mmCIF file of all heavy atoms in Angstrom:
data_model
loop_
_atom_site.group_PDB
_atom_site.id
_atom_site.type_symbol
_atom_site.label_atom_id
_atom_site.label_comp_id
_atom_site.label_asym_id
_atom_site.label_seq_id
_atom_site.Cartn_x
_atom_site.Cartn_y
_atom_site.Cartn_z
ATOM 1 N N SER X 336 -84.161 11.371 92.302
ATOM 2 C CA SER X 336 -85.472 10.752 92.435
ATOM 3 C C SER X 336 -85.546 9.771 93.602
ATOM 4 O O SER X 336 -84.719 8.868 93.720
ATOM 5 C CB SER X 336 -85.817 10.007 91.145
ATOM 6 O OG SER X 336 -86.995 9.255 91.318
ATOM 7 N N THR X 337 -86.559 9.951 94.457
ATOM 8 C CA THR X 337 -86.784 8.982 95.533
ATOM 9 C C THR X 337 -87.534 7.756 95.023
ATOM 10 O O THR X 337 -87.735 6.806 95.769
ATOM 11 C CB THR X 337 -87.574 9.616 96.700
ATOM 12 O OG1 THR X 337 -88.790 10.153 96.194
ATOM 13 C CG2 THR X 337 -86.760 10.695 97.379
ATOM 14 N N THR X 338 -87.913 7.772 93.757
ATOM 15 C CA THR X 338 -88.525 6.585 93.163
ATOM 16 C C THR X 338 -87.498 5.471 93.018
ATOM 17 O O THR X 338 -87.809 4.301 93.183
ATOM 18 C CB THR X 338 -89.111 6.916 91.771
ATOM 19 O OG1 THR X 338 -90.077 7.947 91.921
ATOM 20 C CG2 THR X 338 -89.753 5.697 91.130
ATOM 21 N N PHE X 339 -86.263 5.851 92.729
ATOM 22 C CA PHE X 339 -85.227 4.858 92.459
ATOM 23 C C PHE X 339 -84.158 4.783 93.540
ATOM 24 O O PHE X 339 -83.260 3.954 93.469
ATOM 25 C CB PHE X 339 -84.576 5.151 91.103
ATOM 26 C CG PHE X 339 -85.567 5.066 89.980
ATOM 27 C CD1 PHE X 339 -86.105 6.223 89.430
ATOM 28 C CD2 PHE X 339 -86.002 3.842 89.501
ATOM 29 C CE1 PHE X 339 -87.032 6.152 88.409
ATOM 30 C CE2 PHE X 339 -86.934 3.759 88.483
ATOM 31 C CZ PHE X 339 -87.452 4.908 87.940
ATOM 32 N N HIS X 340 -84.214 5.687 94.527
ATOM 33 C CA HIS X 340 -83.242 5.705 95.618
ATOM 34 C C HIS X 340 -84.001 5.837 96.933
ATOM 35 O O HIS X 340 -84.921 6.632 97.048
ATOM 36 C CB HIS X 340 -82.291 6.896 95.483
ATOM 37 C CG HIS X 340 -81.522 6.908 94.207
ATOM 38 N ND1 HIS X 340 -80.461 6.086 93.963
ATOM 39 C CD2 HIS X 340 -81.679 7.655 93.087
ATOM 40 C CE1 HIS X 340 -79.987 6.320 92.762
ATOM 41 N NE2 HIS X 340 -80.713 7.263 92.206
ATOM 42 N N HIS X 341 -83.588 5.084 97.917
ATOM 43 C CA HIS X 341 -84.221 5.157 99.231
ATOM 44 C C HIS X 341 -83.913 6.518 99.861
ATOM 45 O O HIS X 341 -82.776 6.994 99.811
ATOM 46 C CB HIS X 341 -83.705 4.032 100.126
ATOM 47 C CG HIS X 341 -84.492 3.891 101.385
ATOM 48 N ND1 HIS X 341 -84.274 4.689 102.481
ATOM 49 C CD2 HIS X 341 -85.500 3.065 101.710
ATOM 50 C CE1 HIS X 341 -85.112 4.360 103.438
ATOM 51 N NE2 HIS X 341 -85.875 3.370 102.995
ATOM 52 N N PRO X 342 -84.913 7.166 100.449
ATOM 53 C CA PRO X 342 -84.695 8.491 101.052
ATOM 54 C C PRO X 342 -83.557 8.535 102.073
ATOM 55 O O PRO X 342 -82.815 9.513 102.120
ATOM 56 C CB PRO X 342 -86.038 8.807 101.696
ATOM 57 C CG PRO X 342 -87.027 8.049 100.873
ATOM 58 C CD PRO X 342 -86.322 6.777 100.486
ATOM 59 N N PHE X 343 -83.386 7.497 102.882
ATOM 60 C CA PHE X 343 -82.287 7.479 103.860
ATOM 61 C C PHE X 343 -80.943 7.577 103.158
ATOM 62 O O PHE X 343 -80.073 8.346 103.546
ATOM 63 C CB PHE X 343 -82.329 6.214 104.727
ATOM 64 C CG PHE X 343 -81.083 6.041 105.557
ATOM 65 C CD1 PHE X 343 -80.929 6.737 106.748
ATOM 66 C CD2 PHE X 343 -80.053 5.213 105.130
ATOM 67 C CE1 PHE X 343 -79.779 6.596 107.508
ATOM 68 C CE2 PHE X 343 -78.896 5.072 105.885
ATOM 69 C CZ PHE X 343 -78.756 5.767 107.076
ATOM 70 N N ASN X 344 -80.780 6.784 102.081
ATOM 71 C CA ASN X 344 -79.513 6.802 101.353
ATOM 72 C C ASN X 344 -79.278 8.154 100.683
ATOM 73 O O ASN X 344 -78.142 8.638 100.633
ATOM 74 C CB ASN X 344 -79.467 5.680 100.322
ATOM 75 C CG ASN X 344 -79.389 4.320 100.976
ATOM 76 O OD1 ASN X 344 -78.856 4.172 102.072
ATOM 77 N ND2 ASN X 344 -79.945 3.315 100.322
ATOM 78 N N LEU X 345 -80.338 8.769 100.186
ATOM 79 C CA LEU X 345 -80.196 10.095 99.576
ATOM 80 C C LEU X 345 -79.786 11.133 100.611
ATOM 81 O O LEU X 345 -78.920 11.975 100.345
ATOM 82 C CB LEU X 345 -81.489 10.528 98.892
ATOM 83 C CG LEU X 345 -81.788 9.815 97.580
ATOM 84 C CD1 LEU X 345 -83.110 10.300 97.018
ATOM 85 C CD2 LEU X 345 -80.669 10.042 96.590
ATOM 86 N N ALA X 346 -80.389 11.076 101.789
ATOM 87 C CA ALA X 346 -80.018 12.019 102.849
ATOM 88 C C ALA X 346 -78.547 11.839 103.206
ATOM 89 O O ALA X 346 -77.817 12.818 103.410
ATOM 90 C CB ALA X 346 -80.906 11.803 104.074
ATOM 91 N N ARG X 347 -78.107 10.620 103.255
ATOM 92 C CA ARG X 347 -76.712 10.321 103.562
ATOM 93 C C ARG X 347 -75.780 10.852 102.474
ATOM 94 O O ARG X 347 -74.734 11.443 102.754
ATOM 95 C CB ARG X 347 -76.570 8.809 103.707
ATOM 96 C CG ARG X 347 -75.332 8.378 104.366
ATOM 97 C CD ARG X 347 -75.435 6.897 104.693
ATOM 98 N NE ARG X 347 -74.094 6.405 104.826
ATOM 99 C CZ ARG X 347 -73.670 5.258 104.383
ATOM 100 N NH1 ARG X 347 -74.489 4.437 103.778
ATOM 101 N NH2 ARG X 347 -72.429 4.905 104.544
ATOM 102 N N LEU X 348 -76.168 10.662 101.199
ATOM 103 C CA LEU X 348 -75.363 11.167 100.087
ATOM 104 C C LEU X 348 -75.259 12.690 100.108
ATOM 105 O O LEU X 348 -74.175 13.248 99.969
ATOM 106 C CB LEU X 348 -75.945 10.695 98.747
ATOM 107 C CG LEU X 348 -75.779 9.214 98.430
ATOM 108 C CD1 LEU X 348 -76.658 8.826 97.240
ATOM 109 C CD2 LEU X 348 -74.322 8.900 98.140
ATOM 110 N N PHE X 349 -76.403 13.365 100.290
ATOM 111 C CA PHE X 349 -76.383 14.827 100.339
ATOM 112 C C PHE X 349 -75.592 15.327 101.551
ATOM 113 O O PHE X 349 -74.869 16.317 101.470
ATOM 114 C CB PHE X 349 -77.805 15.402 100.354
ATOM 115 C CG PHE X 349 -78.399 15.554 98.978
ATOM 116 C CD1 PHE X 349 -79.353 14.666 98.529
ATOM 117 C CD2 PHE X 349 -78.016 16.599 98.155
ATOM 118 C CE1 PHE X 349 -79.914 14.804 97.263
ATOM 119 C CE2 PHE X 349 -78.564 16.748 96.886
ATOM 120 C CZ PHE X 349 -79.516 15.851 96.440
ATOM 121 N N GLY X 350 -75.716 14.642 102.682
ATOM 122 C CA GLY X 350 -74.959 15.032 103.868
ATOM 123 C C GLY X 350 -73.460 14.879 103.658
ATOM 124 O O GLY X 350 -72.671 15.752 104.052
ATOM 125 N N THR X 351 -73.057 13.792 103.027
ATOM 126 C CA THR X 351 -71.642 13.575 102.731
ATOM 127 C C THR X 351 -71.141 14.629 101.763
ATOM 128 O O THR X 351 -70.046 15.180 101.931
ATOM 129 C CB THR X 351 -71.419 12.168 102.159
ATOM 130 O OG1 THR X 351 -71.871 11.201 103.115
ATOM 131 C CG2 THR X 351 -69.952 11.926 101.833
ATOM 132 N N LEU X 352 -71.941 14.941 100.755
ATOM 133 C CA LEU X 352 -71.572 15.980 99.791
ATOM 134 C C LEU X 352 -71.366 17.312 100.494
ATOM 135 O O LEU X 352 -70.401 18.032 100.219
ATOM 136 C CB LEU X 352 -72.652 16.108 98.711
ATOM 137 C CG LEU X 352 -72.452 17.217 97.699
ATOM 138 C CD1 LEU X 352 -71.173 16.993 96.896
ATOM 139 C CD2 LEU X 352 -73.649 17.283 96.768
ATOM 140 N N ASP X 353 -72.232 17.637 101.418
ATOM 141 C CA ASP X 353 -72.113 18.895 102.150
ATOM 142 C C ASP X 353 -70.796 18.972 102.913
ATOM 143 O O ASP X 353 -70.160 20.017 102.983
ATOM 144 C CB ASP X 353 -73.304 19.061 103.100
ATOM 145 C CG ASP X 353 -73.353 20.443 103.718
ATOM 146 O OD1 ASP X 353 -73.100 21.431 103.000
ATOM 147 O OD2 ASP X 353 -73.650 20.536 104.910
ATOM 148 N N HIS X 354 -70.363 17.870 103.469
ATOM 149 C CA HIS X 354 -69.103 17.854 104.217
ATOM 150 C C HIS X 354 -67.889 17.793 103.304
ATOM 151 O O HIS X 354 -66.820 18.279 103.663
ATOM 152 C CB HIS X 354 -69.072 16.671 105.194
ATOM 153 C CG HIS X 354 -69.994 16.870 106.349
ATOM 154 N ND1 HIS X 354 -69.652 17.621 107.447
ATOM 155 C CD2 HIS X 354 -71.249 16.431 106.571
ATOM 156 C CE1 HIS X 354 -70.660 17.630 108.299
ATOM 157 N NE2 HIS X 354 -71.637 16.919 107.793
ATOM 158 N N ALA X 355 -68.027 17.190 102.147
ATOM 159 C CA ALA X 355 -66.897 17.009 101.227
ATOM 160 C C ALA X 355 -66.601 18.250 100.394
ATOM 161 O O ALA X 355 -65.470 18.447 99.943
ATOM 162 C CB ALA X 355 -67.156 15.832 100.286
ATOM 163 N N ALA X 356 -67.605 19.092 100.186
ATOM 164 C CA ALA X 356 -67.421 20.291 99.356
ATOM 165 C C ALA X 356 -66.579 21.320 100.099
ATOM 166 O O ALA X 356 -66.880 21.654 101.235
ATOM 167 C CB ALA X 356 -68.768 20.882 98.986
ATOM 168 N N PRO X 357 -65.507 21.803 99.468
ATOM 169 C CA PRO X 357 -64.685 22.847 100.115
ATOM 170 C C PRO X 357 -65.532 24.070 100.456
ATOM 171 O O PRO X 357 -66.367 24.495 99.658
ATOM 172 C CB PRO X 357 -63.650 23.203 99.058
ATOM 173 C CG PRO X 357 -63.625 22.031 98.128
ATOM 174 C CD PRO X 357 -65.017 21.469 98.150
ATOM 175 N N GLY X 358 -65.324 24.605 101.645
ATOM 176 C CA GLY X 358 -66.030 25.814 102.044
ATOM 177 C C GLY X 358 -67.488 25.621 102.355
ATOM 178 O O GLY X 358 -68.247 26.571 102.437
ATOM 179 N N SER X 359 -67.930 24.372 102.530
ATOM 180 C CA SER X 359 -69.333 24.146 102.859
ATOM 181 C C SER X 359 -69.620 24.666 104.259
ATOM 182 O O SER X 359 -68.720 24.862 105.066
ATOM 183 C CB SER X 359 -69.694 22.657 102.754
ATOM 184 O OG SER X 359 -69.065 21.937 103.787
#
Side-chain angles (χ1 to χ4, degrees):
S336 172
T337 56
T338 301
F339 298 101
H340 301 284
H341 191 278
F343 169 81
N344 291 331
L345 286 178
R347 196 169 158 220
L348 289 168
F349 275 104
T351 301
L352 176 63
D353 189 41
H354 288 278
S359 69

